[in-house]
Amino acid sequence: MFVFLSSPLIADEYEFKRLEMSFKNFMTCELTRTNAIDHFNGKPFKITMIDLFDIQNESDLKIITGAIECFVGDKHLTLYAAVGLKIIMDREQVVYYTIRDKDFSILATELIKFPYKERCKWSPYWLDID
Protein backbone atom coordinates (compact mmCIF):
# COMPACT_ATOMS: atom_id res chain seq x y z
CA MET A 1 0.00 0.00 0.00
CA PHE A 2 1.32 3.43 -0.99
CA VAL A 3 0.37 6.53 1.02
CA PHE A 4 0.98 9.93 -0.49
CA LEU A 5 1.63 12.68 2.01
CA SER A 6 1.43 16.19 0.67
CA SER A 7 4.05 18.67 1.68
CA PRO A 8 2.99 22.04 3.13
CA LEU A 9 5.52 23.62 0.77
CA ILE A 10 3.65 22.25 -2.22
CA ALA A 11 0.34 23.57 -0.87
CA ASP A 12 1.90 26.99 -0.22
CA GLU A 13 3.47 27.02 -3.68
CA TYR A 14 0.12 26.13 -5.25
CA GLU A 15 -1.63 28.92 -3.32
CA PHE A 16 1.05 31.43 -4.33
CA LYS A 17 0.78 30.43 -8.02
CA ARG A 18 -3.03 30.68 -7.84
CA LEU A 19 -2.86 34.17 -6.32
CA GLU A 20 -0.12 35.27 -8.72
CA MET A 21 -2.11 34.21 -11.77
CA SER A 22 -5.32 35.70 -10.38
CA PHE A 23 -3.54 38.99 -9.65
CA LYS A 24 -2.08 39.15 -13.17
CA ASN A 25 -5.44 38.39 -14.77
CA PHE A 26 -7.31 40.84 -12.51
CA MET A 27 -4.88 43.70 -13.23
CA THR A 28 -4.98 43.04 -16.98
CA CYS A 29 -8.78 42.98 -16.90
CA GLU A 30 -9.08 46.08 -14.71
CA LEU A 31 -6.70 48.21 -16.79
CA THR A 32 -8.26 47.03 -20.06
CA ARG A 33 -11.84 47.46 -18.83
CA THR A 34 -11.22 51.06 -17.74
CA ASN A 35 -8.80 51.78 -20.62
CA ALA A 36 -6.52 53.02 -17.82
CA ILE A 37 -7.96 56.50 -18.39
CA ASP A 38 -7.01 57.61 -14.88
CA HIS A 39 -3.43 56.44 -15.31
CA PHE A 40 -2.56 57.14 -18.94
CA ASN A 41 -5.02 59.93 -19.86
CA GLY A 42 -6.64 57.72 -22.48
CA LYS A 43 -3.41 57.13 -24.43
CA PRO A 44 -2.91 53.66 -25.93
CA PHE A 45 -0.88 51.38 -23.70
CA LYS A 46 0.61 47.92 -23.67
CA ILE A 47 1.18 45.91 -20.50
CA THR A 48 4.68 44.42 -20.61
CA MET A 49 4.92 42.84 -17.16
CA ILE A 50 2.89 42.23 -14.03
CA ASP A 51 4.78 41.19 -10.92
CA LEU A 52 3.34 40.03 -7.61
CA PHE A 53 5.31 41.49 -4.68
CA ASP A 54 3.66 40.33 -1.50
CA ILE A 55 0.71 38.55 0.08
CA GLN A 56 -0.27 39.62 3.60
CA ASN A 57 -3.07 38.60 5.92
CA GLU A 58 -4.54 41.23 8.22
CA SER A 59 -7.51 39.99 10.22
CA ASP A 60 -10.01 38.69 7.64
CA LEU A 61 -8.42 40.62 4.76
CA LYS A 62 -5.83 39.19 2.35
CA ILE A 63 -3.75 41.97 0.78
CA ILE A 64 -1.97 41.31 -2.51
CA THR A 65 0.49 43.91 -3.81
CA GLY A 66 2.43 44.14 -7.04
CA ALA A 67 3.59 46.25 -9.97
CA ILE A 68 2.52 46.61 -13.59
CA GLU A 69 4.96 47.81 -16.23
CA CYS A 70 3.50 49.40 -19.35
CA PHE A 71 4.51 51.21 -22.50
CA VAL A 72 2.39 54.31 -23.01
CA GLY A 73 3.14 55.97 -26.32
CA ASP A 74 6.94 55.94 -26.31
CA LYS A 75 7.38 55.98 -22.52
CA HIS A 76 7.87 53.15 -20.07
CA LEU A 77 5.75 53.53 -16.88
CA THR A 78 5.32 51.44 -13.74
CA LEU A 79 2.12 51.34 -11.69
CA TYR A 80 1.81 49.84 -8.21
CA ALA A 81 -1.36 48.06 -7.14
CA ALA A 82 -2.96 46.58 -4.04
CA VAL A 83 -5.98 44.27 -3.99
CA GLY A 84 -7.90 43.33 -0.86
CA LEU A 85 -9.72 39.99 -0.73
CA LYS A 86 -12.29 38.76 1.77
CA ILE A 87 -14.24 35.56 1.99
CA ILE A 88 -17.92 36.42 1.68
CA MET A 89 -20.47 33.61 1.63
CA ASP A 90 -17.67 31.04 1.16
CA ARG A 91 -16.24 32.84 -1.87
CA GLU A 92 -13.13 34.95 -2.12
CA GLN A 93 -14.10 38.38 -3.45
CA VAL A 94 -12.26 41.55 -4.40
CA VAL A 95 -13.50 44.15 -1.94
CA TYR A 96 -10.75 46.78 -2.13
CA TYR A 97 -8.45 47.89 -4.93
CA THR A 98 -6.09 50.78 -5.51
CA ILE A 99 -3.42 51.56 -8.06
CA ARG A 100 -0.82 54.35 -7.98
CA ASP A 101 2.13 55.58 -9.97
CA LYS A 102 4.46 55.56 -6.95
CA ASP A 103 5.46 52.59 -4.79
CA PHE A 104 3.71 52.51 -1.43
CA SER A 105 3.35 50.43 1.70
CA ILE A 106 -0.20 49.21 2.06
CA LEU A 107 -2.04 48.40 5.27
CA ALA A 108 -5.60 47.21 5.62
CA THR A 109 -6.62 50.55 7.14
CA GLU A 110 -5.39 52.41 4.06
CA LEU A 111 -6.73 49.90 1.54
CA ILE A 112 -10.21 50.09 3.09
CA LYS A 113 -10.42 53.67 1.78
CA PHE A 114 -10.62 52.23 -1.74
CA PRO A 115 -13.69 49.97 -2.03
CA TYR A 116 -13.97 48.03 -5.27
CA LYS A 117 -17.40 48.80 -6.66
CA GLU A 118 -17.73 45.68 -8.81
CA ARG A 119 -17.49 43.28 -5.83
CA CYS A 120 -16.40 40.62 -8.26
CA LYS A 121 -15.53 37.10 -7.29
CA TRP A 122 -11.82 36.37 -7.36
CA SER A 123 -12.21 32.85 -8.74
CA PRO A 124 -12.88 33.83 -12.40
CA TYR A 125 -9.37 35.33 -12.53
CA TRP A 126 -7.83 31.95 -11.74
CA LEU A 127 -7.26 29.77 -14.76
CA ASP A 128 -6.16 26.30 -13.80
CA ILE A 129 -3.64 25.27 -16.44
CA ASP A 130 -3.13 21.71 -15.11
Side-chain angles (χ1 to χ4, degrees):
M1 179 177 191
F2 179 78
V3 177
F4 178 77
L5 298 175
S6 66
S7 162
L9 180 62
I10 292 171
D12 290 344
E13 186 177 325
Y14 176 82
E15 177 68 5
F16 179 83
K17 289 293 184 191
R18 182 185 71 83
L19 288 171
E20 180 181 44
M21 185 175 286
S22 296
F23 179 75
K24 288 178 178 185
N25 290 336
F26 175 80
M27 293 311 307
T28 301
C29 262
E30 186 62 24
L31 288 172
T32 304
R33 182 180 70 81
T34 63
N35 289 321
I37 290 170
D38 293 341
H39 312 294
F40 307 136
N41 299 320
K43 294 178 185 171
F45 68 95
K46 179 179 180 183
I47 298 170
T48 57
M49 186 197 69
I50 300 175
D51 190 22
L52 179 72
F53 286 167
D54 193 23
I55 302 164
Q56 304 173 55
N57 290 301
E58 283 193 34
S59 186
D60 63 342
L61 185 65
K62 185 177 293 182
I63 302 171
I64 302 168
T65 55
I68 303 97
E69 292 187 7
C70 303
F71 274 113
V72 183
D74 60 351
K75 292 183 180 178
H76 179 67
L77 297 173
T78 302
L79 297 174
Y80 300 91
V83 177
L85 304 176
K86 276 190 179 184
I87 295 178
I88 301 172
M89 296 176 60
D90 296 328
R91 295 195 183 242
E92 220 169 19
Q93 294 190 22
V94 177
V95 290
Y96 306 109
Y97 161 70
T98 187
I99 188 165
R100 300 183 187 163
D101 59 359
K102 294 194 178 0
D103 198 359
F104 59 101
S105 297
I106 196 76
L107 301 171
T109 52
E110 184 175 352
L111 191 56
I112 288 169
K113 296 177 191 174
F114 302 97
Y116 186 67
K117 294 177 179 70
E118 303 299 319
R119 297 286 176 160
C120 64
K121 294 180 181 101
W122 188 242
S123 57
Y125 297 104
W126 163 242
L127 303 174
D128 192 351
I129 55 175
D130 291 337

